[in-house]
Amino acid sequence: MEETYLLNVEGVKKKILHGGRGELPKLQDGSKFTFHFQTLKDDFERTVIDDSREAGVPMEIIVGKMFKLEIWETLLSSMRIGEVAEFWCDPIHTGMYALVSRGMRRIAEGRDPLEGQKHRCGMGNMFDYHSMGYDDLDELQRTPQPLIFIMELFRVEEPSAYKRDTWAMSKEEKMAAVPVLHSEGNRLVLRREFAKAAAKYQEAVICLRNLQAKEKPWEDDWLKLERLVTPLVLNYCQCQLELGEYYEVLEHTTELLQKHNDNAKAYFKRAKAHAAVWNEREAREDFQRVAHLDPSMAAAVKKELKQLGERMRKKHVEDRKRYRGLFQSSQGQ
């Protein structure tokens, strides 16, 4: 039998459509809800606005991570595992839904959910937009109204029970993750698993860049993080060299050198990438900078320049043969 009752929250009604099992989950910051949802208008037709099942992927939110639609955390906290429930929420709880829905739709379309947003709070962003890009969401934005959410809760995981995405980590968790990821990357390099190692270094860099974004550039705290970023980027580039991703190396070393133009190791890796894609002049210039900045690398530079010269001479011989063959072929026609 369906049971209808009010949650202890103003402007919310709950109806259990299918009972769950066990007790209400014990939640803490970082717990993760996994669920399907359907959003409907409170009209005669109960018009469907969004349905996560259409995307085929359940929704996930992290407790305490300031999800824009805060009421969802409250609703899910009232549910047992396996429960299906319908919630009626008045406009004091649904005013941000259009913004949330737009982000979810963009993700489903393979687009950036923050595309075009200014660095302001969510409500401020709503006033900046003339259109949400979707007619039904424009209507919700213009006319706040009650909405119905039908939710099916699949599982609730404690923070230690799942691998947490970088964005969901606290500052302390990100800082603790960096040396672990660095060590895992080094271990994978020794096993010559360069793609996996690169992924570890990249994840560590993302942790640090997220923290850096909260600091003022070039001040002490920002610089401390930058000193941790630099060796990780260089390790990542070394993996990409091993994998033959030379243009990836050129991109990341150039970006690094724009901030740190005295980093000999960055010049050395960029020089090797230039050499690999036949940019002889650029490779020679970078190798010469390496020898100037770090005389201890002079022997390595000399060896690389010798190999570069031999490769270029071989290439010129092959090119002359190819062009001569093409010229003779065209004359014989």
Side-chain angles (χ1 to χ4, degrees):
M1 181 177 178
E2 293 181 355
E3 180 182 7
T4 303
Y5 60 93
L6 290 173
L7 288 173
N8 295 322
V9 179
E10 181 183 357
V12 176
K13 298 177 184 178
K14 176 179 178 181
K15 181 188 295 183
I16 296 177
L17 305 180
H18 183 277
R21 59 184 182 276
E23 301 296 322
L24 289 175
K26 294 180 180 179
L27 303 175
Q28 55 182 304
D29 277 3
S31 294
K32 180 169 74 172
F33 291 112
T34 303
F35 60 100
H36 267 308
F37 75 94
Q38 194 176 45
T39 304
L40 305 89
K41 288 185 179 180
D42 184 23
D43 57 14
F44 181 77
E45 295 84 5
R46 288 168 63 93
T47 305
V48 176
I49 301 172
D50 290 306
D51 188 340
S52 63
R53 284 182 174 80
E54 290 185 359
V57 180
M59 180 75 178
E60 296 177 349
I61 64 173
I62 308 295
V63 173
K65 292 303 175 185
M66 300 298 289
F67 184 65
K68 287 189 176 71
L69 204 64
E70 294 179 18
I71 193 62
W72 273 16
E73 188 175 311
T74 302
L75 305 183
L76 291 162
S77 299
S78 77
M79 299 178 68
R80 292 171 170 80
I81 306 301
E83 180 178 324
V84 182
E86 176 178 307
F87 300 91
W88 178 94
C89 299
D90 78 8
I92 65 171
H93 299 297
T94 63
M96 294 295 292
Y97 184 76
L99 193 64
V100 170
S101 176
R102 182 184 61 177
M104 292 187 294
R105 292 182 188 188
R106 284 182 168 177
I107 291 171
E109 294 165 2
R111 298 165 60 193
D112 181 354
L114 302 179
E115 181 183 310
Q117 283 198 25
K118 298 180 180 179
H119 294 289
R120 295 175 56 184
C121 67
M123 190 60 71
N125 275 314
M126 289 188 73
F127 287 114
D128 284 331
Y129 287 101
H130 299 292
S131 172
M132 303 294 287
Y134 305 91
D135 292 341
D136 57 342
L137 300 185
D138 287 340
E139 179 192 345
L140 289 180
Q141 184 180 341
R142 287 192 301 267
T143 312
Q145 55 193 273
L147 294 175
I148 296 167
F149 303 113
I150 299 176
M151 295 179 161
E152 180 178 2
L153 181 60
F154 295 126
R155 59 183 174 271
V156 178
E157 298 168 274
E158 295 181 0
S160 60
Y162 66 94
K163 184 179 183 299
R164 304 187 64 185
D165 292 329
T166 299
W167 66 267
M169 293 181 180
S170 66
K171 177 180 179 179
E172 292 74 19
E173 288 169 332
K174 288 173 183 171
M175 287 302 298
V178 168
V180 175
L181 291 165
H182 197 160
S183 178
E184 289 176 352
N186 292 347
R187 178 176 56 81
L188 289 163
V189 166
L190 291 174
R191 291 163 50 180
R192 301 192 64 78
E193 297 182 41
F194 297 113
K196 291 181 179 178
K200 295 295 183 183
Y201 296 136
Q202 185 178 45
E203 189 175 351
V205 170
I206 290 170
C207 285
L208 293 169
R209 291 297 191 207
N210 286 344
L211 293 172
Q212 241 185 350
K214 297 180 174 64
E215 306 295 341
K216 191 170 182 179
W218 302 106
E219 293 199 348
D220 286 347
D221 289 340
W222 187 95
L223 287 169
K224 288 177 183 176
L225 293 167
E226 185 69 15
R227 283 192 285 271
L228 296 174
V229 167
T230 299
L232 288 162
V233 173
L234 291 172
N235 287 359
Y236 173 83
C237 288
Q238 183 60 42
C239 291
Q240 297 303 323
L241 281 172
E242 297 286 352
L243 294 167
E245 299 291 344
Y246 304 119
Y247 290 102
E248 181 90 355
V249 176
L250 291 174
E251 177 184 348
H252 288 284
T253 51
T254 298
E255 182 181 348
L256 188 64
L257 288 165
Q258 286 171 350
K259 297 177 184 175
H260 312 287
N261 62 4
D262 59 347
N263 192 303
K265 290 181 179 179
Y267 278 118
F268 189 77
K269 295 184 193 306
R270 190 172 74 171
K272 286 176 71 70
H274 275 309
V277 295
W278 307 106
N279 295 338
E280 182 180 12
R281 178 179 59 80
E282 292 87 346
R284 290 186 181 279
E285 288 176 355
D286 278 352
F287 280 132
Q288 287 165 3
R289 288 193 187 98
V290 173
H292 175 73
L293 288 168
D294 188 351
S296 70
M297 298 181 71
V301 166
K302 184 177 180 180
K303 179 181 176 182
E304 292 290 340
L305 286 171
K306 182 180 178 181
Q307 291 178 349
L308 175 61
E310 290 171 353
R311 288 181 69 237
M312 294 307 301
R313 281 191 292 275
K314 184 177 179 181
K315 182 176 185 294
H316 293 325
V317 169
E318 290 174 350
D319 287 346
R320 283 197 297 271
K321 288 180 179 177
R322 186 180 303 112
Y323 295 142
R324 189 183 307 122
L326 288 173
F327 180 74
Q328 290 173 346
S329 175
S330 64
Q331 281 188 328
Q333 290 179 356

